[in-house]
Every structure is written in structure tokens, then in C-alpha cells.
Amino acid sequence: ASARPVQSQHCEKIVRACRTLLETLIQALQHQFAAIAAEHILQAFKSEQDDHLLGELASLLYQMTGSVLQFADFTLASRIFAELRDRQRELMKTPKATGRGFAVLNRKIDASTKSLLMEELQSKDPERQEKAALVLESLGKPAIALLVEVIKQEKDFRTRQLSAGLLSRMGRDAADAVNPIFVLTE
């Protein structure tokens, strides 16, 4: 018998069913499902105390962001990322900052999301850049490496300036990541 409460087990089954559904739907329907289900999943995520279930919900939310970004739903993606970031900050203040749920929250941007956001940011189209900036700022710490990479690669001053501005609002971790860029070598 499991030591986890029956309610948590039922919730976990629901989360797994949502993940399975998301994975089996065609891409266009994945976005529609994410748009409909996101609010309910975010509500459950905000209040979840079970570390294992928190990790499951966070994984599902990350998976949903990939689907919504493919259809340029930057507003929903930024909302999800902001909730993930806020919950991570909340957990940093407690002893729960070491559990599985926290580990899932502390993950890096997946390769396809990173590519998509870099493409948008480097597009030189102000509308596309604004949407990418919205998502990157919502991401918080996981966006630091991407923004540093853009600063290193990009020739366009405006894009570099935008990336630096986003980094400037991300605190000490961003400053530590940017400092090596500006160190003069002999």
C-alpha cells in the first residue's frame, strides 16, 4: 500500500491522463487543449503541497508551453512560465527547496523552446521581439543563458540592447553570467 493519500493518487492519475492526451493529440489540438486546461492546471499547481504531484504538474505545464509556443501563443506561455517562476521563488523560502517538485521547477529551457525564442528575439521584427521578451522575462533564471548567448552572437545593436535590458532585471545571477562577457583578455 502506498503512503500517499488516495486524493493525491487520484490527482496524479488525472495529471497523467492530461499528459497522455496532450501527447496523443495532433499539434493544433494540443494548443487548443492547453488553452482550455491551463487555467485549471495552474490553479492546482499553485496550491499543491505534495512534492511528487507538484513535480508532475510542473512537468505537464512545461510540456504545455512547448505546444502553445508552436502556435505563437506567447501570452499563455508567459503566464505559465511566470506561475512556475513564482512557485519556485515561494519554495525557495521553505525546506521544500530540495524535493522533486522543486527540481522540476529548476530545469533549463528545452532545446526547441530555446531555438524558437532565440529566433523570435533575433528576428529584428519589433512585434516578434516583444513577444519573445514577454516570455523570456516570465521565465526568469532559465532565460539567462539564452540571453547571454544572444548578446555574444548577435551583431544587431538593438537586439543586444534588448537582451541586456532583460538581463538587467534578472538580478545577481544574471550579473554573474554577464560579467565574463565583458572581461578583457590579453
Side-chain angles (χ1 to χ4, degrees), residues 44 46-47 56 58-59 76-77 80 90 96-97 104 107 114 124-125 127 135 137 146 148 155 163 176 178 183:
K46 285 187 219 180
S47 61
E56 292 292 321
S59 290
L76 180 56
I80 293 170
E90 176 188 314
K96 284 192 172 247
V104 171
R107 71 192 219 180
K114 182 178 177 180
K124 297 176 188 50
D125 175 351
E127 272 186 55
V135 173
E137 200 159 7
L146 183 149
V148 168
K155 302 286 185 229
S163 298
D176 292 342
V178 171
V183 173

Side-chain angles (χ1 to χ4, degrees), residues 17-91:
C18 287
R19 180 178 291 126
T20 300
L21 180 59
L22 189 63
E23 290 169 354
T24 58
L25 290 171
I26 62 171
Q27 200 163 17
L29 292 178
Q30 287 177 5
H31 172 248
Q32 290 178 13
F33 172 74
I36 293 167
E39 189 60 41
H40 301 288
I41 294 168
L42 285 169
Q43 288 301 319
F45 174 74
K46 285 187 219 180
S47 61
E48 186 54 56
Q49 296 303 311
D50 180 86
D51 188 57
H52 179 76
L53 194 50
L54 181 67
E56 292 292 321
L57 286 163
S59 290
L60 177 59
L61 287 166
Y62 275 113
Q63 188 176 2
M64 291 171 82
T65 60
S67 298
V68 299
L69 284 171
Q70 288 300 318
F71 287 91
D73 193 342
F74 293 93
T75 304
L76 180 56
S78 65
R79 171 124 193 289
I80 293 170
F81 283 136
E83 294 290 348
L84 289 163
R85 180 199 64 217
D86 292 349
R87 186 69 195 266
Q88 181 185 32
R89 287 179 183 162
E90 176 188 314
L91 290 173

Side-chain angles (χ1 to χ4, degrees), residues 108-158:
K108 295 180 180 179
I109 304 172
D110 67 73
S112 63
T113 299
K114 182 178 177 180
S115 275
L116 190 142
L117 291 172
M118 282 189 74
E119 183 180 314
E120 294 298 307
L121 194 61
Q122 293 176 314
S123 71
K124 297 176 188 50
D125 175 351
E127 272 186 55
R128 289 175 62 192
Q129 288 180 319
E130 179 183 13
K131 290 175 181 178
L134 174 69
V135 173
L136 290 166
E137 200 159 7
S138 297
L139 262 167
K141 286 173 67 170
I144 292 172
L146 183 149
L147 291 167
V148 168
E149 195 172 326
V150 169
I151 291 171
K152 286 179 180 179
Q153 290 180 7
E154 187 59 47
K155 302 286 185 229
D156 180 60
F157 176 74
R158 191 176 156 285

